[in-house]
Amino acid sequence: MVAALLGLASEVTYEAQAAIRLQTLAERAAGGAQEPLSYPWRREGEQVIVSDLRAAVLDDREAGRSLEQVALAFHHSVAEMVVAGAEAMAQSVNTRNVALSGGCFQN
C-alpha cells in the first residue's frame, strides 16, 4: 500500500518488488541525522488499523517530506506493530519467548 501511495509500484512484475523498492529507500534514509518518526496506528482486538497511517503518509508527501524519510517512518511503524503483536501474543499465553519466522522476518 505505501509503495503504491509513493508511486513506487504502479505495476509489479515480480514478488516483493514494491517492498524491495520501499526497503531500499528506507535504507538510504537510515543513515541520516534526522530522528525517524513512525506513523500512527492502533489495535482493535486482534486487528491492526492503519487508516491513520495511510493518511499520515499522504500528509507527509504533500508537505514535501522525502520518499526516503517516509519509507523509513513506515518501516519503523511496521516494527512497532510487530513488537506490539509479539508482546500481546506472549502475554496471552504467559511466556516471554516468541519466535518470528517467514520471509519478511528473514530480511
Side-chain angles (χ1 to χ4, degrees):
M1 167 190 75
V2 172
L5 290 174
L6 298 181
L8 301 176
S10 59
E11 182 179 327
V12 175
T13 58
Y14 59 89
E15 187 176 353
Q17 181 178 3
I20 290 167
R21 289 180 179 172
L22 196 60
Q23 180 181 344
T24 300
L25 288 176
E27 288 171 348
R28 287 183 196 158
Q34 292 181 335
E35 180 68 26
L37 60 88
S38 60
Y39 291 118
W41 58 276
R42 68 185 188 284
R43 288 182 52 207
E44 289 182 4
E46 294 184 8
Q47 292 185 342
V48 175
I49 309 301
V50 296
S51 53
D52 294 337
L53 180 148
R54 183 179 55 238
V57 166
L58 293 172
D59 288 347
D60 270 358
R61 286 303 296 146
E62 287 179 19
R65 190 162 195 203
S66 73
L67 292 175
E68 292 84 0
Q69 287 295 318
V70 172
L72 182 60
F74 171 71
H75 276 77
H76 278 259
S77 303
V78 170
E80 289 175 354
M81 292 176 210
V82 170
V83 168
E87 287 175 341
M89 182 61 67
Q91 185 177 28
S92 74
V93 295
N94 196 29
T95 187
R96 294 178 49 150
N97 299 314
V98 176
L100 304 175
S101 65
C104 65
F105 295 113
Q106 294 174 356
N107 292 337

